[in-house]
Amino acid sequence: MNSLTPFPGQGHPQEVTAFHRTELNVILSLYGRMVAAGEWRDYGISSLRDVAVFSVFRRTAENPLYRIEKRPKLRAKQGEYSVIGAEGQMLKRGHDLRTVLRVLERKLIRPVD
């Protein structure tokens, strides 16, 4: 009576790469500050087999301004975190998420008139 029956047509569950709660806290903290500054308005999260992506949008119907990617396979090489711009250019890559996101925090610094 206590045995589980697998759902028909389902093989083994696929492994996906996702952001951990502590990683999301860091990303959403930056996101909240950018929304308050009027720079960003929407976001999307994708969890795929090899990569987790946090996309940032100025408007909902646009292409993303920035993509924050986590690729665990690159952990031992260039670093598993990266920030990619709208045109596909790599803005920053590294092993520590906070230092990688500093490239986006510079957008908050504005000269005072």
Side-chain angles (χ1 to χ4, degrees):
M1 205 69 179
N2 288 338
S3 66
L4 296 174
T5 306
F7 192 72
Q10 289 281 334
H12 63 285
Q14 264 192 343
E15 302 258 340
V16 295
T17 302
F19 288 105
H20 191 265
R21 178 179 292 192
T22 56
E23 295 166 335
L24 277 177
N25 284 342
V26 173
I27 294 170
L28 289 174
S29 172
L30 173 64
Y31 176 77
R33 287 180 281 154
M34 294 299 263
V35 168
E39 296 292 322
W40 298 349
R41 297 193 191 268
D42 199 9
Y43 71 91
I45 299 177
S46 301
S47 295
L48 306 171
R49 192 173 56 151
D50 295 331
V51 63
V53 181
F54 187 95
S55 301
V56 177
F57 299 90
R58 186 177 308 257
R59 290 181 195 83
T60 307
E62 288 184 348
N63 292 328
L65 288 174
Y66 301 104
R67 291 189 332 254
I68 302 164
E69 293 187 354
K70 175 183 177 182
R71 293 181 183 267
K73 288 185 178 179
L74 296 178
R75 182 179 301 140
K77 297 178 182 174
Q78 304 116 329
E80 65 182 321
Y81 302 108
S82 59
V83 175
I84 301 170
E87 303 295 320
Q89 69 274 22
M90 183 72 60
L91 300 178
K92 183 86 171 172
R93 172 175 274 160
H95 298 282
D96 182 44
L97 181 60
R98 290 183 193 274
T99 58
V100 170
L101 292 179
R102 283 188 192 147
V103 72
L104 298 177
E105 289 179 357
R106 292 182 189 148
K107 307 286 184 192
L108 284 174
I109 300 171
R110 294 183 182 160
V112 179
D113 293 332

